[in-house]
Amino acid sequence: EAQVTQNPRYLITVTGKKLTVTCSQNMNHEYMSWYRQDPGLGLRQIYYSMNVEVTDKGDVPEGYKVSRKEKRNFPLILESPSPNQTSLYFCASSFGQGDQPQHFGDGTRLSIL
Amino acid sequence: RKEVEQDPGPFNVPEGATVAFNCTYSNSASQSFFWYRQDCRKEPKLLMSVYSSGNEDGRFTAQLNRASQYISLLIRDSKLSDSATYLCVVKGPLRSNTGKLIFGQGTTLQVKP
């Protein structure tokens, strides 16, 4: 089954404790992206990647890191999480350069205390 | 001014009604346009791409007006199952911010019996 898989789905953690949210897709998509969704602000792009070893900042990259060592995986890293990073996070992938329909993962709800 | 703007609603309509949403975008060189649907606490899913000539998919019609920089979504004969948030998505112009997708805040539709 074609899918985008994020883990974990839910995480409660404390300020400053490094965490990684994994994202994996099995559709051989070139394009992958991370978003956060907050009430009143909608979905905002954090980082995106157009292929292996090619990543670029979205609208709200501060406090996040990503890597794209393999085509299928695009982890999101919070080196020192802070409470303002409490949010609902989505990973997405597609063919092309973001001009094709995005396939979203189920979401990860992060709470940073 | 936000890059992509939508009226957040909510739009409360009776079953069978016709409802229209508009979305405006600020960058006249934007290339690709989409409507996504998002159910409460779920991932966004592509509803339809928006083409310059306009396109229709069953009860849904999408239109693009480049001169006025807006896209629209028309839903005819609303069903209870149409209740959701509808997200307008715009991709940046070629050779500039390639790969960057901008989401509107979303318009919430509630269809009542």
Side-chain angles (χ1 to χ4, degrees):
Chain A
E1 182 190 347
Q3 58 186 3
V4 178
T5 304
Q6 294 178 228
N7 277 299
R9 292 289 314 281
Y10 303 92
L11 178 64
I12 301 174
T13 188
V14 296
T15 299
K17 186 176 180 183
K18 180 180 178 180
L19 67 91
T20 299
V21 185
T22 63
C23 175
S24 181
Q25 50 93 5
N26 62 0
M27 295 168 278
N28 203 33
H29 285 164
E30 296 87 12
Y31 183 93
M32 297 186 76
S33 183
W34 276 103
Y35 301 88
R36 60 177 290 174
Q37 188 171 34
D38 303 288
L41 297 175
L43 268 163
R44 293 178 293 167
Q45 194 173 43
I46 302 170
Y47 270 95
Y48 62 94
S49 168
M50 289 202 282
N51 216 322
V52 176
E53 302 291 3
V54 180
T55 63
D56 208 348
K57 296 177 181 178
D59 288 316
V60 288
E62 294 78 21
Y64 304 94
K65 283 174 58 176
V66 292
S67 69
R68 187 90 182 274
K69 294 188 172 64
E70 306 162 286
K71 199 171 187 180
R72 63 183 294 127
N73 296 323
F74 190 46
L76 179 70
I77 302 153
L78 285 71
E79 293 270 4
S80 183
S82 61
N84 64 11
Q85 292 177 299
T86 292
S87 187
L88 176 60
Y89 291 84
F90 288 104
C91 178
S93 72
S94 71
F95 290 114
Q97 300 182 347
D99 52 348
Q100 300 299 314
Q102 303 290 299
H103 297 256
F104 283 82
D106 290 339
T108 296
R109 190 166 289 280
L110 280 184
S111 293
I112 316 291
L113 304 177
Chain B
R1 181 186 174 189
K2 290 182 182 175
E3 291 182 88
V4 177
E5 289 203 71
Q6 295 181 250
D7 180 345
F11 284 59
N12 295 302
V13 303
E15 268 188 294
T18 295
V19 60
F21 309 137
N22 279 344
C23 164
T24 59
Y25 60 95
S26 61
N27 191 328
S28 60
S30 296
Q31 292 295 317
S32 303
F33 308 90
F34 308 92
W35 282 104
Y36 278 74
R37 171 194 169 124
Q38 185 174 24
D39 293 298
C40 188
R41 298 182 185 181
K42 299 277 194 178
E43 75 277 18
K45 292 185 179 175
L46 179 71
L47 180 66
M48 55 200 306
S49 302
V50 186
Y51 303 119
S52 297
S53 54
N55 46 303
E56 188 173 308
D57 182 3
R59 296 181 293 108
F60 298 84
T61 301
Q63 301 242 317
L64 168 63
N65 185 319
R66 285 195 183 271
S68 300
Q69 293 178 217
Y70 77 83
I71 67 174
S72 63
L73 178 68
L74 181 78
I75 306 175
R76 288 180 298 279
D77 188 23
S78 302
K79 312 288 184 195
L80 295 177
S81 57
D82 293 334
S83 298
T85 297
Y86 292 84
L87 305 173
C88 171
V89 185
V90 174
K91 179 181 179 293
L94 292 173
R95 297 182 182 170
S96 169
N97 295 322
T98 302
K100 184 175 174 184
L101 293 176
I102 303 161
F103 284 73
Q105 274 194 56
T107 298
T108 299
L109 172 66
Q110 292 176 355
V111 182
K112 309 278 189 188

